[in-house]
Amino acid sequence: MELHGIDWAIIILLLSISIGISLYFKKRASQGMESFLLGGRKFPWYLAGISMVATTFAADTPLAVTEIVAKNGISGNWIWWAALIGGMFTTFFFASLWRKSGVLTEVEFIELRYSGKSASALRGIKSVYLGLIMNVAVIAWVNTAMLTILQVFFDFEITQLWMILFGLMLFAALYSSLGGLWGVAVTDAVQFIFAMVASILLAYFVVDSPEIGSLSNLKEQIPAETLNFFPSIGNTTAQSGFYAISLGTFIAFVGVQWWSSWYPGAEPGGGGYVAQRMMSTKSNKDAVLSGLFFQIAHYSIRPWPWIIVALAGFVLYPDLMESAPRMAYASAMRDYLPIGFKGLLLASFLAAYLSTISTQLNWGAGYLANDLYKRFINKASSDKQQVNVTRIITVLLAILGSIISLYITDISGVWEFVMECGAGLGFVLIIRWYWWRINAITEITATISPFIYYSLSKYVLEPQFASLYTDPKDTFFFTVFMTVITSIVVCLLTKPEPNSTLETFYNRVKPNGFWNVISGQGNQLGEMKYNFIAWISGMVLTYSILFGTGYYLFDEWFYFQICLGITIFSLILLIFSTKRIQL
């Protein structure tokens, strides 16, 4: 793909803005670990929310959506749309709790909620597992996706492309280590604007092409079932050219996976960069609003430009949509963007890439500096020392992530394994906030058990009893069930945390639920009724905006009006309930 002077100017502008913002916030980030990792807890809700959305917009996201649409049509996106259930649950049940906890990282939370050697061991292990192992794995995956984008734009040897990618990694490490979370978040906001504008423009130019002309013409040129917003529930056989997910798989998506499975970026109860952004806000209310904005923007605002380009691929690149859907999106960039807009789109992919990498480096370094170095290696370290160590770790993570990327070719199986081996852990991550009886041993059990039960189910039971494993999610259900049962049994058979630890946690966080032993009151589930109403109305609002936008784009006016009515009603209900939530 040929880039002209104006294209390069746009790219240089983006990179200059990124480094300029970090230099501006360098002094503020150097004030201490709270300033570096959480921006001094002064973020307004919209900045925290935009930063979350920008982070989840990785370089490979539009390409992945194209693959989904190529295989399953629009309805295939339920594989990630279903995660809204858990995301909205986190917003109204955990955002304010994370903000009130006062911890710097989610791993530090472990020694606020638990005590003793088991708690310190769990904190140390998780700091390395999340901050190093999982963090480097995510970085390697994002790097692999970005390499694909670079191959589209530049006709270079693979070694040269790797050098470019390594340079981008060091650039991300530089500005994220200089400006701390303020630098990362403000840069995220700028990068998100770049990315969304470019995505919308690509969709416009593709639809305006001579081969299509309008969305109405596009609708007429592709199979009707491609435009279905809801999956065809049946057996796992092809129907009208599309894969029909089984009932068990659909139930796993919308009924079980969101609360039971731990995986990076979608931790039940919040975690990772989602918890970090919520903890960085200036008030409990801002924490909730940041999560609400994130969920609406992530599921309702971003997807349609990508989906439209993917649908256009059926008309423009039918062969690629069968053999290599990702290349259909890349080919649309190459063939339909005018001079200047190509640079904007490349800048948008760089923005998506850098926003994800900078966040991974920032919070990953936070785990290793705050929960490993400060907690176990140098407890007497000063704020200045801790910030400097965090900056050094940030650069080292970037270098290590680049090296590991050289050995990554296909990580989809790895992510499936990660999800399966986190099945059931989410249950404990949720109820540890609402039930005093959960202890550190319980969480350790819930962390280890999925690995054991997944291996037992996959490699012992499934080969021996193949007739019982008729659905791809059968091993998942088995792992979830056994992990939850084992965790509860271990919890009841082991001693609870000391009252002093529980009282400290309760007095600081003030959680509802089953804390009667500590609070001296009965269970406080009734006080969460507005949380439940806000949760449901928030989900309905987001889905109605998502589907209503689609119906509007494709001239389905009857269904659009229904969605509009649902949107207005759910918004009123959401405002009513949110004002009454105890924050």
Side-chain angles (χ1 to χ4, degrees):
M1 183 183 296
E2 184 179 359
L3 296 178
H4 294 76
I6 189 171
D7 297 312
W8 286 109
I10 292 172
I11 295 169
I12 293 171
L13 175 63
L14 171 69
L15 298 179
S16 300
I17 290 174
S18 299
I19 198 68
I21 290 172
S22 294
L23 288 172
Y24 178 82
F25 286 108
K26 180 183 177 183
K27 183 176 180 181
R28 186 181 302 188
S30 301
Q31 293 175 356
M33 288 294 282
E34 186 172 81
S35 295
F36 190 90
L37 295 179
L38 296 180
R41 304 185 195 271
K42 296 179 180 179
F43 278 17
W45 63 268
Y46 52 86
L47 180 59
I50 292 174
S51 183
M52 284 188 266
V53 181
T55 298
T56 56
F57 187 169
D60 69 312
T61 311
L63 310 185
V65 169
T66 304
E67 283 191 337
I68 291 171
V69 173
K71 182 179 181 182
N72 294 326
I74 293 177
S75 66
N77 286 284
W78 275 100
I79 192 173
W80 65 278
W81 285 347
L84 169 66
I85 304 171
M88 201 63 76
F89 189 76
T90 295
T91 296
F92 291 109
F93 287 87
F94 297 99
S96 63
L97 299 184
W98 279 114
R99 178 64 177 73
K100 288 188 289 186
S101 70
V103 297
L104 288 178
T105 69
E106 63 167 307
V107 178
E108 183 180 331
F109 170 83
I110 291 170
E111 287 196 297
L112 171 64
R113 178 61 179 80
Y114 311 125
S115 64
K117 294 181 179 180
S118 56
S120 61
L122 181 61
R123 180 178 178 181
I125 291 170
K126 281 203 168 185
S127 67
V128 175
Y129 178 67
L130 296 177
L132 181 62
I133 299 173
M134 288 305 303
N135 196 25
V136 167
V138 172
I139 289 171
W141 165 240
V142 175
N143 278 347
T144 302
M146 191 61 201
L147 184 66
T148 302
I149 302 299
L150 293 176
Q151 288 174 314
V152 173
F153 279 91
F154 301 106
D155 186 22
F156 292 161
E157 297 292 332
I158 190 67
T159 303
Q160 295 172 306
L161 293 176
W162 275 114
M163 291 178 64
I164 294 174
L165 193 63
F166 184 68
L168 290 172
M169 278 287 295
L170 289 182
F171 180 80
L174 175 64
Y175 82 73
S176 60
S177 64
L178 286 175
L181 191 60
W182 267 107
V184 170
V186 175
T187 305
D188 277 350
V190 174
Q191 291 168 344
F192 179 68
I193 293 172
F194 264 90
M196 283 307 304
V197 168
S199 297
I200 293 170
L201 287 173
L202 178 60
Y204 169 79
F205 285 120
V206 166
V207 171
D208 194 49
S209 65
E211 296 89 341
I212 298 176
S214 68
L215 285 173
S216 298
N217 291 339
L218 175 61
K219 182 180 177 181
E220 293 175 0
Q221 295 181 67
I222 57 180
E225 61 268 22
T226 311
L227 298 172
N228 290 338
F229 294 172
F230 298 93
S232 173
I233 307 300
N235 53 34
T236 52
T237 57
Q239 295 179 1
S240 304
F242 290 94
Y243 184 86
I245 66 173
S246 70
L247 180 60
T249 300
F250 186 71
I251 291 174
F253 286 155
V254 303
V256 179
Q257 190 166 288
W258 65 267
W259 61 263
S260 64
S261 278
W262 177 94
Y263 51 100
E267 299 88 344
Y273 59 82
V274 172
Q276 182 195 40
R277 299 305 194 272
M278 290 173 173
M279 292 187 290
S280 71
T281 55
K282 59 185 179 181
S283 69
N284 298 336
K285 180 180 179 180
D286 281 86
V288 173
L289 290 177
S290 70
L292 178 60
F293 176 84
F294 167 51
Q295 302 306 325
I296 294 175
H298 179 59
Y299 293 100
S300 299
I301 298 176
R302 296 190 318 172
W304 282 110
W306 307 333
I307 292 173
I308 289 172
V309 174
L311 292 171
F314 286 109
V315 177
L316 304 175
Y317 309 103
D319 293 336
L320 284 178
M321 290 296 281
E322 289 186 9
S323 59
R326 289 189 173 211
M327 292 306 299
Y329 194 95
S331 298
M333 296 189 300
R334 178 194 63 207
D335 298 337
Y336 292 97
L337 284 175
I339 294 173
F341 291 99
K342 291 180 181 179
L344 179 62
L345 194 69
L346 177 56
S348 78
F349 274 103
L350 289 175
Y353 168 79
L354 291 172
S355 66
T356 301
I357 292 296
S358 61
T359 289
Q360 294 294 138
L361 293 174
N362 180 269
W363 68 261
Y367 289 148
L368 296 173
N370 183 68
D371 302 299
L372 186 65
Y373 174 77
K374 178 185 175 182
R375 173 64 179 82
F376 297 101
I377 298 174
N378 187 2
K379 295 182 179 181
S381 57
S382 65
D383 276 349
K384 183 177 181 180
Q385 286 176 311
Q386 292 163 26
V387 171
N388 289 334
V389 166
T390 306
R391 285 174 167 154
I392 293 171
I393 291 174
T394 299
V395 176
L396 292 177
L397 282 174
I399 295 172
L400 182 59
S402 298
I403 294 172
I404 297 300
S405 301
L406 296 172
Y407 301 95
I408 298 295
T409 56
D410 179 13
I411 203 169
S412 59
V414 176
W415 284 119
E416 181 181 349
F417 176 78
V418 168
M419 186 178 295
E420 291 277 3
C421 289
L425 171 60
F427 172 76
V428 172
L429 297 182
I430 289 174
I431 65 171
R432 65 183 181 176
W433 293 86
Y434 291 104
W435 189 25
W436 68 274
R437 191 62 179 76
I438 298 296
N439 56 26
I441 300 298
T442 305
E443 186 165 332
I444 292 173
T445 301
T447 303
I448 296 173
S449 292
F451 290 89
I452 298 173
Y453 290 124
Y454 171 73
S455 300
L456 175 64
S457 179
K458 186 73 174 178
Y459 302 110
V460 179
L461 298 180
E462 185 174 354
Q464 294 296 322
F465 305 98
S467 61
L468 299 178
Y469 288 79
T470 58
D471 187 272
K473 285 294 181 181
D474 285 340
T475 57
F476 173 79
F477 286 125
F478 174 82
T479 304
V480 168
F481 177 77
M482 293 304 298
T483 297
V484 170
I485 294 298
T486 302
S487 300
I488 293 175
V489 170
V490 169
C491 175
L492 297 177
L493 292 178
T494 53
K495 293 181 179 180
E497 297 297 331
N499 277 3
S500 57
T501 300
L502 297 174
E503 288 171 0
T504 299
F505 173 76
Y506 180 83
N507 290 332
R508 181 186 295 190
V509 178
K510 290 292 190 297
N512 290 314
F514 300 94
W515 285 89
N516 52 300
V517 172
I518 305 302
S519 66
Q521 306 171 14
N523 80 72
Q524 298 167 299
L525 291 178
E527 297 181 18
M528 294 193 291
K529 61 183 178 182
Y530 292 113
N531 299 70
F532 282 100
I533 296 173
W535 173 37
I536 300 300
S537 58
M539 284 191 296
V540 173
L541 172 68
T542 305
Y543 281 132
S544 63
I545 295 174
L546 171 65
F547 299 135
T549 303
Y551 289 131
Y552 175 81
L553 291 172
F554 292 106
D555 295 332
E556 297 283 350
W557 296 109
F558 175 74
Y559 293 112
F560 167 73
Q561 291 172 16
I562 292 177
C563 287
L564 181 60
I566 294 174
T567 298
I568 295 172
F569 176 77
S570 57
L571 178 60
I572 294 172
L573 189 60
L574 178 62
I575 294 173
F576 170 82
S577 56
T578 301
K579 287 183 177 180
R580 287 159 178 77
I581 292 175
Q582 295 183 8
L583 300 176

